[in-house]
C-alpha cells in the first residue's frame, strides 16, 4: 500500500481522494456481492428472523446482513484507512467481538446480560485501551474537563447506550441503514473540513456509506427472495462505529497542543454530535420513559418506537423512514445554524425538537381519530 501511495504522489494524484473513491467502491462491491450468498445460506439453514411482538414484518426474513457489513468494513478499512488501526490498537478487536456476539444473538438469541457484558468489554477496550473517551463536556451544566475515572465511566456508558440505541431503531426497512448513511456523511464532511489530520476518519465514513448503501439495495428490495435485515450484528457494529466517530469528533475541539495538529475550537461540539445522533438517543429515551410510566420493565418489547407510530398512521416502511430522516436532518440543520449560541440552550433546543418529533405521530393520530368521530 505504501508503494502504491508513493507511486500516486509521484504522479501528482491525491492519495486521499483515491482512498475515498476506492474505499467507497470496494466497500459497496464487497457487500453487494456477498449478500446474495448470505441470503442463500440463511434460507437453506433456516437462519431467519421470525416475526415477533416488536416486528413490523409478517414473514420470515434472513437477518445476517451484518456479516456482510463487517466483512466489507473490515477489509476496506484495513486497506484504505489502516492508519486508524495503527492509532487505535483495540479498534479491530472490538469489531471482532461485536461480530461474534451479534451473530450468536441473530442465530440463537443470547440473554440480555451476556450481550451487556460483551458490550462492556468492547467499550472498555476502546475507551481504556485506545483512549477514545469524552474528556470534556464543554460547559454542559457548568461541567468542563472530566476527571480520568469519570471520563472512562461516562464514555463506556455512552458507547453502550449508542450501540443499543441503534439496535432499537432497526425496526423498519431502511431506517437504521439510511440513518447510518446520513450520520456517516455528516461526520465525514465535518472531518474533511477539519483538515488533513482527520482524513483517515473521512475514509472510514466513506467506507461505511458504501457498505450500507449496498446493504440498503437488498434491505429495500421489493422481491422477498432478495430481502435481508442487518440483524443485531449490523446494528451493533454501526452503533459502535458511529459512537466511535462522534467521540473522535468531540475530542477534536478540546483545546490541546499536539505537534503538527491544528487547534480547533467549537464550544457546542458535544451538542452538534448529539444533534447528528438525535434519533436513536430520543427514541431510546422515549420508549424507556413510556415503559416506566406504564410500570413496565425498560427492557420489555413494545411498539412505542417512532417508526411504529408512523406505521400506525398507515404509512409504508419507505415513507416512514423518509419522514423520520428528513425531520431529524432538520434538527441537525437547526443545530448547525445555532452552533455559536450557549451550549446548554442549544442542547435544550435539540432535545425538545427531538422529543417533539417523537410525539408528532401521536398528535396526528389523535387529530385524525377525532375528525372521524366528529364525522
Amino acid at each position: 500500500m505504501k508503494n502504491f501511495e508513493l507511486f500516486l504522489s509521484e504522479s501528482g494524484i491525491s492519495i486521499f481522494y483515491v482512498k475515498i473513491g476506492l474505499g467507497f467502491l470496494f466497500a459497496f462491491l464487497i457487500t453487494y456481492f456477498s449478500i446474495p450468498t448470505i441470503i442463500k445460506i440463511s434460507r437453506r439453514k433456516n437462519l431467519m428472523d421470525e416475526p415477533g411482538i416488536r416486528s413490523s414484518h409478517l414473514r420470515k426474513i434472513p437477518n445476517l446482513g451484518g456479516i456482510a457489513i463487517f466483512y466489507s468494513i473490515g477489509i476496506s478499512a484495513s486497506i484504505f484507512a489502516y492508519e486508524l488501526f495503527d492509532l487505535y490498537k483495540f479498534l479491530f478487536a472490538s469489531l471482532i467481538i461485536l461480530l461474534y456476539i451479534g451473530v450468536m444473538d441473530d442465530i440463537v438469541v443470547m440473554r440480555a446480560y451476556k450481550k451487556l457484558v460483551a458490550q462492556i468489554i468492547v467499550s472498555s477496550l476502546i475507551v481504556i485501551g485506545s483512549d477514545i473517551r469524552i474528556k470534556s463536556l464543554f460547559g454542559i451544566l457548568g461541567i468542563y474537563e472530566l476527571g480520568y475515572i469519570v471520563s472512562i465511566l461516562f464514555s463506556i456508558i455512552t458507547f453502550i447506550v449508542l450501540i443499543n440505541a441503534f439496535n432499537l431503531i432497526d425496526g423498519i426497512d431502511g431506517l437504521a441503514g439510511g440513518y447510518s448513511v446520513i450520520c456517516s456523511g455528516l461526520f465525514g464532511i465535518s472531518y474533511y473540513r477539519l483538515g488533513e489530520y482527520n482524513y483517515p476518519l473521512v475514509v472510514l465514513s466513506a467506507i461505511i456509506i458504501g457498505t450500507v448503501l449496498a446493504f440498503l439495495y437488498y434491505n429495500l428490495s421489493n422481491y422477498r427472495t432478495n430481502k435481508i435485515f442487518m440483524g443485531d450484528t449490523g446494528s451493533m457494529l454501526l452503533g459502535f462505529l458511529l459512537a466511535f466517530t462522534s467521540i473522535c469528533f468531540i475530542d477534536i475541539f478540546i483545546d490541546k497542543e499536539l505537534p503538527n495538529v491544528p487547534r480547533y475550537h467549537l464550544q457546542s461540539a458535544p451538542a452538534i454530535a448529539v444533534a447528528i445522533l438525535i434519533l436513536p438517543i430520543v427514541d431510546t429515551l422515549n420508549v424507556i420513559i413510556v415503559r416506566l410510566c406504564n410500570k413496565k420493565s425498560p427492557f420489555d418489547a413494545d411498539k412505542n418506537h417512532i417508526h411504529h407510530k408512523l406505521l400506525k398512521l398507515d404509512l409504508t416502511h419507505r415513507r416512514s423512514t423518509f419522514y423520520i430522516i428528513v425531520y431529524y436532518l432538520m434538527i441537525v440543520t437547526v443545530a448547525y445554524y445555532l452552533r455559536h449560541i450557549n451550549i446548554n440552550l442549544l442542547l435544550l433546543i435539540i432535545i425538545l425538537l427531538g422529543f417533539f418529533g417523537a410525539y408528532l405521530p401521536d398528535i396526528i393520530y389523535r387529530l385524525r381519530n377525532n375528525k372521524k368521530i366528529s364525522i
Side-chain angles (χ1 to χ4, degrees):
M1 188 66 187
K2 286 184 179 175
N3 291 335
F4 179 61
E5 288 181 8
L6 187 63
F7 167 75
L8 287 176
S9 60
E10 287 174 356
S11 308
I13 301 168
S14 171
I15 297 165
F16 168 62
Y17 293 112
V18 171
K19 281 183 175 181
I20 282 187
L22 289 179
F24 175 87
L25 185 63
F26 269 56
F28 183 91
L29 292 176
I30 290 168
T31 306
Y32 183 82
F33 286 111
S34 60
I35 283 181
T37 306
I38 293 169
I39 292 173
K40 212 176 280 182
I41 293 168
S42 296
R43 290 190 176 281
R44 196 175 295 160
K45 302 292 183 182
N46 198 32
L47 304 173
M48 315 277 269
D49 184 58
E50 301 272 357
I53 298 170
R54 209 174 57 192
S55 303
S56 301
H57 61 288
L58 302 173
R59 297 184 181 91
K60 293 196 291 186
I61 304 288
N63 66 336
L64 295 175
I67 294 175
I69 291 171
F70 169 82
Y71 181 49
S72 177
I73 291 173
I75 293 173
S76 304
S78 297
I79 297 171
F80 300 105
Y82 61 85
E83 300 94 337
L84 290 174
F85 299 111
D86 286 339
L87 281 169
Y88 311 114
K89 303 294 182 187
F90 293 93
L91 178 58
F92 198 73
S94 300
L95 294 175
I96 292 285
I97 295 169
L98 283 175
L99 170 71
Y100 176 76
I101 297 303
V103 171
M104 286 285 288
D105 194 45
D106 287 330
I107 294 175
V108 297
V109 185
M110 291 181 68
R111 290 189 176 180
Y113 80 88
K114 289 184 178 178
K115 279 170 66 177
L116 181 60
V117 168
Q119 289 168 5
I120 291 169
I121 292 168
V122 164
S123 303
S124 300
L125 278 175
I126 199 73
V127 170
I128 300 169
S130 298
D131 202 37
I132 297 296
R133 57 192 173 88
I134 300 167
K135 298 164 188 169
S136 171
L137 291 186
F138 291 70
I140 295 173
L141 301 176
I143 303 167
Y144 287 87
E145 191 174 342
L146 297 173
Y148 183 69
I149 300 298
V150 174
S151 172
I152 283 174
L153 292 173
F154 184 61
S155 301
I156 288 171
I157 291 167
T158 301
F159 266 104
I160 292 167
V161 167
L162 287 174
I163 288 168
N164 287 292
F166 255 86
N167 190 17
L168 289 175
I169 67 166
D170 184 30
I172 58 173
D173 296 343
L175 183 56
Y179 202 75
S180 299
V181 168
I182 297 297
C183 291
S184 296
L186 292 169
F187 280 126
I189 291 165
S190 301
Y191 286 127
Y192 177 75
R193 293 182 65 191
L194 290 167
E196 221 172 293
Y197 181 74
N198 304 297
Y199 280 0
L201 286 163
V202 182
V203 177
L204 176 64
S205 298
I207 287 167
I208 293 171
I209 292 168
T211 301
V212 178
L213 284 177
F215 163 78
L216 286 172
Y217 172 80
Y218 295 98
N219 181 235
L220 294 171
S221 174
N222 289 321
Y223 300 100
R224 196 161 62 88
T225 51
N226 283 345
K227 202 168 191 64
I228 193 169
F229 297 153
M230 67 171 66
D232 280 6
T233 310
S235 61
M236 285 201 296
L237 283 169
L238 291 174
F240 172 80
L241 286 170
L242 289 168
F244 169 79
T245 50
S246 64
I247 291 174
C248 288
F249 172 80
I250 294 168
D251 190 60
I252 288 169
F253 295 99
I254 294 173
D255 194 16
K256 52 188 179 292
E257 289 188 38
L258 292 172
N260 303 318
V261 179
R263 292 169 74 176
Y264 305 101
H265 181 69
L266 180 65
Q267 189 70 27
S268 59
I272 298 296
V274 168
I276 293 173
L277 297 170
I278 188 66
L279 170 60
I281 292 169
V282 161
D283 191 50
T284 303
L285 287 174
N286 176 53
V287 293
I288 288 172
I289 291 165
V290 169
R291 287 168 191 172
L292 290 175
C293 288
N294 291 331
K295 296 180 180 176
K296 292 181 179 178
S297 166
F299 305 104
D300 284 349
D302 58 31
K303 290 200 172 185
N304 286 311
H305 293 278
I306 298 167
H307 52 268
H308 288 135
K309 295 176 182 182
L310 285 171
L311 293 179
K312 205 173 166 184
L313 294 171
D314 297 324
L315 294 174
T316 62
H317 281 220
R318 290 186 183 188
R319 282 198 175 184
S320 299
T321 293
F322 176 75
Y323 291 145
I324 291 169
I325 289 175
V326 167
Y327 181 82
Y328 286 99
L329 263 179
M330 181 271 291
I331 295 177
V332 176
T333 306
V334 170
Y336 177 77
Y337 281 106
L338 298 178
R339 66 190 182 279
H340 295 302
I341 68 170
N342 178 275
I343 186 170
N344 290 289
L345 178 59
L346 179 58
L347 194 59
L348 180 64
I349 291 168
I350 290 165
I351 291 169
L352 288 175
L353 285 172
F355 273 100
F356 178 73
Y359 288 102
L360 186 58
D362 290 326
I363 296 166
I364 295 169
Y365 184 76
R366 284 180 185 177
L367 288 172
R368 191 182 284 183
N369 275 1
N370 288 340
K371 274 187 180 179
K372 283 180 183 176
I373 291 167
S374 61
I375 288 168

